[in-house]
Amino acid sequence: MQALVSFLPPPVDHEVQSLWDELEARFGLRYVRKTPFPHITWQLGEEYAREQAVPLLRELAQRQRPIPLKLDGIGVFNGPSPVVYLRVVKTRTLVRIHRQLHEALQACLLQPNPFYLPGQWEPHVTLAVQDLSAEQVSGVVDFLNQKQLKWQCLLEDWVLLCQQPDGRAGVEYVFKLGTGGFERRDCA
């Protein structure tokens, strides 16, 4: 699996990691750390054709200014494998950028996850996933609702994540928004 994400910048990333710590200590929830970077996901799929996607992302990132993001409260994706998340305020700007990314990269992404397609995409920051049971959801939500969970920040990058052999997410490419900055890593 590969994903295109934006990392949450400090201090918001530290706030999210603190929530992860509390959820692990109180409820034993740790799976979220398989992707150990607080982020929002723009796209998710089996694999990007890097020879096409990387030049496109470099060009798009150079033209894109940092993106305002507002987090406001808790949400739940219900189902057999529930997810508790921080709600992202879905602004017209976010929707426009998401659509532009989809249109530019749709031919480069194999087997895109339908939940991340335009019209389906619900931007969020995951707090608990996979090891969260349906019976735990209300307790987790009650616990989180006692906290002040409103933050604002600027997303400053697009990051191409890859899956390492142990199942953890690793960073393969970082594209700095508005600067043309670009970094290739070894999926670590």
Side-chain angles (χ1 to χ4, degrees):
M1 295 297 282
Q2 285 193 300
L4 181 66
V5 307
S6 287
F7 289 160
L8 300 182
V12 178
D13 66 334
H14 301 300
E15 296 286 351
V16 172
Q17 288 177 353
S18 292
L19 290 173
W20 289 351
D21 291 343
E22 290 182 71
L23 291 172
E24 182 176 353
R26 188 167 180 130
F27 299 97
L29 303 172
R30 352 175 8 153
Y31 188 89
V32 71
R33 294 181 190 273
K34 287 273 189 180
T35 305
F37 326 100
H39 67 279
I40 72 161
T41 302
W42 299 96
Q43 289 187 315
L44 178 68
E46 187 57 38
E47 184 177 13
Y48 282 92
R50 290 166 193 81
E51 64 281 352
Q52 296 170 330
V54 170
L56 282 170
L57 281 165
R58 286 184 78 174
E59 179 184 330
L60 292 168
Q62 186 169 8
R63 293 192 319 244
Q64 177 63 54
R65 291 188 310 248
I67 304 163
L69 185 77
K70 292 181 184 177
L71 300 168
D72 187 7
I74 298 300
V76 177
F77 296 130
N78 289 305
S81 183
V83 177
V84 173
Y85 60 88
L86 286 171
R87 282 193 312 251
V88 170
V89 176
K90 196 172 180 180
T91 64
R92 279 184 256 168
T93 299
L94 278 180
V95 171
R96 177 183 49 78
I97 293 167
H98 178 259
R99 186 168 297 284
Q100 288 171 343
L101 285 169
H102 173 75
E103 289 170 0
L105 296 169
Q106 65 183 336
C108 305
L109 180 59
L110 300 174
Q111 298 176 20
N113 183 312
F115 291 121
Y116 293 88
L117 296 176
Q120 299 297 314
W121 181 61
E122 196 60 47
H124 64 280
V125 176
T126 303
L127 296 177
V129 64
Q130 293 293 332
D131 55 358
L132 174 68
S133 70
E135 295 77 30
Q136 288 177 297
V137 170
S138 64
V140 169
V141 169
D142 289 346
F143 172 73
L144 291 168
N145 278 333
Q146 298 172 31
K147 301 182 172 297
Q148 167 63 298
L149 300 175
K150 290 186 178 193
W151 296 295
Q152 294 183 42
C153 61
L154 286 175
L155 301 176
E156 300 172 344
D157 55 34
W158 286 324
V159 180
L160 198 58
L161 296 180
C162 55
Q163 191 169 19
Q164 298 174 328
D166 66 0
R168 292 188 169 280
V171 175
E172 191 167 359
Y173 294 93
V174 178
F175 306 90
K176 290 295 183 184
L177 301 181
T179 68
F182 164 79
E183 182 181 346
R184 181 174 184 349
R185 300 188 189 169
D186 194 20
C187 192

